[in-house]
C-alpha cells in the first residue's frame, strides 16, 4: 500500500528534455519532503533535487539551471523536468519520500 512508482524515463539525444513522474501513496506524499536521486554505472547514488512539503527546492550543482523539481499535492505526484540533457545525466533515477524508495527508472542521453 505504501509505494513510490517512477515513470517517464527513456532514451533521448543530448540537448533534449524529459519529464520524470513519481506517483506516491498519500500517506507518504501528504506531509513529507520528496527527492530525486540518480545512480550511474560505477558511481554511488546521489541526490539531484529535493522539494519540501512547503515547496522549498534545492539542487545538486551539476543540474542547477537545467532541472526543476515540482509536486502536485492533489494528485500525489512528484515531477522532475530535465532540460538540456547531457550524456553525463545518464543514470537510473529514483524517487524518495519519507524513507521509501521507488524501483528506479532509466534515463539514457546519447546520440
Amino acid at each position: 500500500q505504501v509505494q513510490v512508482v517512477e515513470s517517464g524515463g527513456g532514451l533521448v539525444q543530448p540537448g533534449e528534455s524529459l519529464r520524470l513522474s513519481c506517483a506516491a501513496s498519500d500517506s507518504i506524499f501528504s506531509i513529507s519532503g520528496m527527492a530525486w536521486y540518480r545512480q550511474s554505472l560505477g558511481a554511488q547514488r546521489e541526490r539531484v533535487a529535493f522539494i519540501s512539503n512547503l515547496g522549498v527546492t534545492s539542487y545538486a550543482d551539476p543540474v542547477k539551471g537545467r532541472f526543476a523539481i515540482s509536486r502536485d499535492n492533489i494528485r500525489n505526484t512528484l515531477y522532475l523536468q530535465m532540460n538540456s540533457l547531457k550524456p553525463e545525466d545518464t543514470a537510473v533515477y529514483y524517487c524518495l519520500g519519507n524513507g521509501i524508495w521507488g524501483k528506479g527508472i532509466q534515463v539514457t542521453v546519447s546520440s
Side-chain angles (χ1 to χ4, degrees):
Q1 189 68 32
V2 178
Q3 63 178 11
V4 173
V5 180
E6 304 98 336
S7 63
L11 173 65
V12 297
Q13 294 182 319
E16 295 185 338
S17 298
L18 278 176
R19 188 176 73 161
L20 303 183
S21 298
C22 170
S25 302
D26 57 3
S27 61
I28 296 172
F29 206 90
S30 61
I31 62 171
S32 69
M34 304 287 290
W36 288 99
Y37 284 70
R38 68 185 183 188
Q39 185 170 22
S40 58
L41 289 175
Q44 62 184 0
R45 192 173 298 183
E46 63 179 357
R47 193 173 81 177
V48 298
F50 171 83
I51 184 167
S52 76
N53 62 321
L54 298 178
V56 178
T57 61
S58 64
Y59 299 92
D61 285 340
V63 308
K64 286 180 179 177
R66 299 189 297 118
F67 290 12
I69 188 171
S70 61
R71 62 192 295 161
D72 184 334
N73 292 335
I74 301 301
R75 296 172 176 81
N76 290 350
T77 303
L78 179 74
Y79 302 98
L80 185 66
Q81 178 67 44
M82 304 184 293
N83 299 323
S84 301
L85 282 162
K86 305 175 180 179
E88 308 94 270
D89 297 318
T90 296
V92 176
Y93 284 72
Y94 299 88
C95 182
L96 173 66
N98 202 27
I100 306 300
W101 291 94
K103 295 296 184 182
I105 189 164
Q106 180 70 45
V107 171
T108 301
V109 184
S110 176
S111 59

